[in-house]
Structures are given as C-alpha cells and as structure tokens.
Amino acid sequence: SQTIHQWPATLVQPVGSPLSLECTVEGTSNPNLYWYRQAAGRGLQLLFYSVGIGQISSEVPQNLSASRPQDRQFILSSKKLLLSDSGFYLCAWRSTVAGGYTFGSGTRLTVV
Amino acid sequence: KQEVTQIPAALSVPEGENLVLNCSFTDSAIYNLQWFRQDPGKGLTSLLLIQSSQREQTSGRLNASLDKSSGRSTLYIAASQPGDSATYLCAVRPIRETSGSRLTFGEGTQLTVNP
C-alpha cells in the first residue's frame, strides 16, 4: 500500500534561518507531488507541484522553493525565513489510478 | 476560475443526530470530488472520493453524493459521534490537465458533536 511520510512534525525557527522540509512517498512510482500551506484560520494554498524528477512548478511567488531530487522525494526549502512563512505545511501525492489525493501529517512551522 | 463553497461554516449537534454538510462548486467540468477530514493540528484524511461519472459513494456511516450539473455535493453522516468532531473539507479536481490538476478546496465545515 502507498504511504506518505512528512517530517519534522513541528519546527520553530528564527527569522533569517534556512528551512528544509522533506516528504517521501512509498508504494508508488512517478507520483504527482504537491506542497500546500494552511495559514491559521485560512484555507489551503497550493505552493508547488511536481510531475516528475527535477520538474517543479511554482504557484505562488514567495520566499520558498521546492526540489524533487528523486522520484518519490519532495523537498520544500527556504534560504532565509520570514515571519510570514509561519503556517502548517502539507505534502500530498495524487493517485494515477483513482485520481484521489493523499496528504501527509503536516509540519507546523513557527518563525520567531 | 473554480470556486468551492461549504455551508455551514460551523455546526454543533448532539450525539446521535444525522447531519448533512454541503459543498457547492461553480465550474461543473470536474474530474472528481473528494471529501477530507482534518483534526486540529493534523493532516487531511481522505474520507470519500467521487468520480464525475458517479452519483454517490458510501463508507460506513458516511455517504457522499454528487450532482455535477448543479454543482453540488453533500456529505451525510449518520448517527453522529463525538469522535466525528473535526473540520470537513471538500475539494474538486478539474478535468483539464493543467497546473498539475490543482485541487480547489472549500473553506471547510467545523463540526462539533456533543456527548
């Protein structure tokens, strides 16, 4: 069966520090991968998606970047965090069979 | 541009009550619609996935219907329990394979089931 792993679960980082969040998927190959952010009291915002290794599409220009170094690995990064980067970050993959989405458990990022 | 609306925004019911959550969308050109549950501070758990050609899906006490032509979906929860307390989100996937098939989410319905 397919599983998605996301870590860390929580992170507190100072303004100006770098960021690296990792997401890996097991049990499938060549998945579409997504990074979403959910700000407090707001809906989900799509940040990046990837349809293959090295292929990244950005939905919202901002202080973040994404990379896909391996088929089932998706990384969200920042060189210098801003206070506005605080939020709940969710990784997801999409099934090519039924077309449904599966989300990871999320990372709560607080920038102080 | 697809817009998804969920009504009500919040709902509080006594345990044992049957309830209906509503989701409406503006563009009927959808591939599928998915209902999720989100507990506080947690990720999204998929509840039901309805393909555009289907009218409903059932899982245990949950039943989701889809009326694509009218742009509506409902999530029916039978015999609600305190453990059902969570935020329920619906999301639609477009037919057109652009933007990685971006999901459009509603704002969610926050459900509280009181013992």
Side-chain angles (χ1 to χ4, degrees), chain B residues 49-103:
Chain B
L49 172 67
I50 310 178
Q51 304 298 337
S52 62
S53 59
Q54 297 175 323
R55 297 286 293 185
E56 65 178 341
Q57 282 285 333
T58 298
S59 176
R61 294 182 294 108
L62 305 179
N63 176 278
S65 68
L66 174 64
D67 184 343
K68 194 174 65 170
S69 60
S70 67
R72 294 180 181 177
S73 176
T74 61
L75 179 66
Y76 175 83
I77 302 177
S80 58
Q81 303 170 359
D84 295 329
S85 298
T87 296
Y88 291 79
L89 296 159
C90 75
V92 297
R93 175 186 163 188
I95 286 178
R96 299 169 189 83
E97 290 288 326
T98 59
S99 299
S101 291
R102 174 208 302 245
L103 276 183

Side-chain angles (χ1 to χ4, degrees), chain A residues 7 11 15 17-18 20 22-23 34 37 46 56 59-60 74-75 78-79 85 88-89 92-93 95 106-108:
Chain A
W7 67 93
L11 194 58
V15 168
S17 64
S20 180
E22 189 162 344
C23 171
Y34 305 82
R37 178 170 61 196
L46 178 62
I56 307 295
E59 291 293 305
V60 182
F74 204 22
I75 298 172
S78 174
K79 292 182 179 179
D85 292 324
F88 192 50
Y89 289 83
W93 73 279
S95 165
T107 295
R108 173 73 58 191

Side-chain angles (χ1 to χ4, degrees), chain A residues 32 34 36 38 41-44 46 49 51 59 88 90 94-95 97-106 108, chain B residues 31-32 34 36 38 40-46 49 51 89 93 97-107:
Chain A
N32 279 17
Y34 305 82
Y36 283 84
Q38 188 176 37
R42 301 180 66 179
L44 284 101
L46 178 62
Y49 69 93
V51 299
E59 291 293 305
F88 192 50
L90 290 157
R94 192 191 86 198
S95 165
V97 176
Y101 287 72
T102 300
F103 282 79
S105 55
R108 173 73 58 191
Chain B
Y31 188 90
N32 58 36
Q34 199 165 358
F36 295 91
Q38 186 175 29
K42 304 296 184 182
L44 276 63
T45 300
S46 180
L49 172 67
Q51 304 298 337
L89 296 159
R93 175 186 163 188
E97 290 288 326
T98 59
S99 299
S101 291
R102 174 208 302 245
L103 276 183
T104 302
F105 282 88
E107 293 292 316

